[in-house]
Amino acid sequence: MSRGLIVVDVQNDFCEGGSIPVAGGAQIATKIADLVEQSAGRDYQYVVATRDHHIDPGSHFSENPDFKDSFPVHCVAGDEGGEFHPHFAPAAAGGKVDAVFFKGAHSSSKSGFEGADEQGTSLADWLRARGVEDVDVVGIATDHCVRATALDAVKAGFRAHVRLDYSVGVAPDTIASTLDDFREAGVVVSGEVPVPQ
């Protein structure tokens, strides 16, 4: 049995200075990089990362976004905003991240389990092929793509654990409802509830 770490969307557009910045994003990027450097190959047999990678996601991009199903233009394929944040990028490039899964090319896709690697392998299939049964989920944002990824992990048959100390959320009310969703779905949660600065 192997444990995997899923790092969700630690990208420029979701950190300070990006098109949809989440307060504390850059700080979380640093913490996650430290986690990956210290625990890859020890606490985690595999570390993967997800990236929003939009080409033409339709109504997901909007000039009048509701910030639930539609958002300003972000993480466009090939643009700097879609790249890993500089605080996390060295860990990702240094061989500590085993695979990257791209999501949302032509849809709103929030969950890493809707993505695929460069060979077209889905996240669930990639993890199963390596005997992973337990996954820890961290990243940006707790109440959006971390939420969707953790819930889909459970649906796909994995035991999921969200580490709040390595995640950052958008708003207190949606974070609270997300934690309720986690409890209902059987997602284990640890760490302090992230409070936006």
Side-chain angles (χ1 to χ4, degrees), residues 125-142:
D125 287 346
W126 193 97
L127 293 170
R128 287 192 193 107
R130 288 155 181 81
V132 175
E133 296 182 5
D134 294 87
V135 294
D136 286 5
V137 185
V138 300
I140 307 172
T142 309

Side-chain angles (χ1 to χ4, degrees), residues 50-92:
T50 70
R51 276 174 56 174
D52 253 17
H53 186 75
H54 297 303
I55 296 171
D56 182 16
S59 60
H60 185 57
F61 283 173
S62 173
E63 292 181 6
N64 300 295
D66 62 15
F67 293 95
K68 181 181 178 185
D69 298 309
S70 59
F71 295 85
V73 174
H74 63 279
C75 296
V76 173
D79 285 0
E80 186 65 24
E83 298 298 320
F84 287 130
H85 188 274
H87 294 180
F88 175 68

Side-chain angles (χ1 to χ4, degrees), residues 3-10 32 35-36 44 46-51 88 97-101 103 110-113 123-124 126-127 132-140 145-146 148-154 156 158-163 166-167:
R3 175 176 292 277
L5 176 67
I6 303 173
V7 178
V8 177
D9 298 1
V10 182
I32 292 172
L35 175 67
V36 169
Y44 301 109
Y46 300 100
V47 177
V48 301
T50 70
R51 276 174 56 174
F88 175 68
V97 172
D98 298 294
V100 178
F101 293 84
K103 59 189 176 67
K110 290 186 178 181
S111 168
F113 285 88
L123 176 54
W126 193 97
L127 293 170
V132 175
E133 296 182 5
D134 294 87
V135 294
D136 286 5
V137 185
V138 300
I140 307 172
C145 295
V146 170
T149 300
L151 294 176
D152 276 0
V154 171
F158 298 95
R159 289 184 288 269
H161 170 209
V162 172
R163 300 184 64 173
Y166 295 92
S167 305

Side-chain angles (χ1 to χ4, degrees), residues 7 9-12 14-17 21-36 85-89 138-140 163-169 194-197:
V7 178
D9 298 1
V10 182
Q11 295 168 265
N12 289 322
F14 299 135
C15 296
E16 291 84 348
V22 179
Q27 182 180 8
I28 283 295
T30 300
K31 286 189 69 174
I32 292 172
D34 290 343
L35 175 67
V36 169
H85 188 274
H87 294 180
F88 175 68
V138 300
I140 307 172
R163 300 184 64 173
L164 295 178
D165 287 346
Y166 295 92
S167 305
V168 64
V195 177
Q197 301 297 313

Side-chain angles (χ1 to χ4, degrees), residues 102-121:
F102 300 90
K103 59 189 176 67
H106 300 283
S107 70
S108 62
S109 299
K110 290 186 178 181
S111 168
F113 285 88
E114 296 176 273
D117 66 9
E118 290 181 337
Q119 287 72 46
T121 304

